[in-house]
Amino acid sequence: DAKTTQPPSMDCAEGRAANLPCNHSTISGNEYVYWYRQIHSQGPQYIIHGLKNNETNEMASLIITEDRKSSTLILPHATLRDTAVYYCIVSFSGGYQKVTFGTGTKLQVIP
Amino acid sequence: GAGVSQSPSNKVTEKGKDVELRCDPISGHTALYWYRQRLGQGLEFLIYFQGNSAPDKSGLPSDRFSAERTGESVSTLTIQRTQQEDSAVYLCASSPLLGGPTDTQYFGPGTRLTVL
């Protein structure tokens, strides 16, 4: 399975956009990019996923580069409740693939 | 509807004892995953079930770990002769696997296991 690389930590001022990068240079053509986040002492929560087009939902936006080797998760107006560990993973769709979550990026939103 | 539930939420046990952790997936979800998360670490894959197919056990760290699932229902993760290094949060996730980009995993709150 493709591996991802994320910075271990980031800070963001409350109300500003948080931009979390992820490198997935070995992603294959039928693998999607998924983002999850884990707030302290809770199970991970799905945020968004995409294949090659940019995606937006009520939680975040996902920007995938044209070569699909990297992506950025954007939280447009970060709040203190967005403080969490954010995981970027790649996974096939519609079938089983063991995924590796890695250690993610710990985002600290600062008042 | 109801999400993934896990029980117990916390378990403290003595070294050498056996423990059983339970996961109730979302109704109708075909796939079920178990992960282990040590303090300050990422999620470590343990085992995967899909319907009646043979499970992927490749992540189980030793033969002290085993898991069962009957059909698309409850799963039980058993750790025999627990060791202190087994202390972690054990997370369960389920997924519908209906085809297309729907293998989003829905996680339970986890069971925090402490081995004294």
Side-chain angles (χ1 to χ4, degrees), chain A residues 34 36 38 92 94 96 98 102, chain B residues 37 42 45 48 56 58 103 105:
Chain A
Y34 280 76
Y36 290 79
Q38 187 173 26
F92 292 120
Y96 169 62
K98 185 171 70 178
Chain B
Q37 187 172 33
F45 168 82
Y48 164 84
D56 179 350
S58 61
D103 57 352
Q105 295 183 41

Side-chain angles (χ1 to χ4, degrees), chain A residues 32 34 36 38 41-44 46 49 87 91-96 98-99 101-103, chain B residues 33 35 37 41-43 45 48 50 56 58 91 97 99-101 103-105 107-109:
Chain A
Y32 283 70
Y34 280 76
Y36 290 79
Q38 187 173 26
S41 298
Q42 298 182 21
Y46 165 81
H49 71 278
Y87 296 98
S91 176
F92 292 120
S93 73
Y96 169 62
K98 185 171 70 178
V99 298
F101 273 75
T103 53
Chain B
Y33 303 76
Y35 296 89
Q37 187 172 33
Q41 304 294 311
L43 278 71
F45 168 82
Y48 164 84
Q50 182 187 346
D56 179 350
S58 61
L91 290 157
L97 284 187
D103 57 352
T104 298
Q105 295 183 41
F107 284 83

Side-chain angles (χ1 to χ4, degrees), chain A residues 8-48:
Chain A
S9 64
M10 292 182 63
D11 291 340
C12 177
E14 187 178 18
R16 305 296 293 269
N19 297 281
L20 293 92
C22 179
N23 288 320
H24 31 79
S25 58
T26 60
I27 191 171
S28 62
N30 56 353
E31 287 183 313
Y32 283 70
V33 179
Y34 280 76
W35 283 83
Y36 290 79
R37 74 178 181 184
Q38 187 173 26
I39 295 171
H40 183 61
S41 298
Q42 298 182 21
Q45 172 194 24
Y46 165 81
I47 301 173
I48 198 168

Side-chain angles (χ1 to χ4, degrees), chain B residues 74-101:
Chain B
V74 170
S75 176
T76 309
L77 176 69
T78 302
I79 309 173
Q80 295 179 309
R81 305 180 302 281
T82 53
Q83 304 294 314
Q84 289 182 329
E85 61 263 28
D86 299 335
S87 296
V89 175
Y90 288 82
L91 290 157
C92 173
S94 70
S95 176
L97 284 187
L98 297 175

Side-chain angles (χ1 to χ4, degrees), chain A residues 48-68:
Chain A
I48 198 168
H49 71 278
L51 183 62
K52 54 185 178 182
N53 297 322
N54 298 337
E55 301 288 343
T56 295
N57 63 19
E58 65 277 7
M59 293 181 68
S61 295
L62 174 60
I63 309 297
I64 303 174
T65 57
E66 191 170 345
D67 63 7
R68 303 211 322 123

Side-chain angles (χ1 to χ4, degrees), chain B residues 3 5 27 44 53 60 69 84 86 96 103 106 110 112 114-115:
Chain B
S5 62
S27 178
E44 177 186 4
S53 301
L60 294 178
R69 187 187 188 199
Q84 289 182 329
D86 299 335
D103 57 352
Y106 298 83
R112 181 175 298 278
T114 303
V115 182

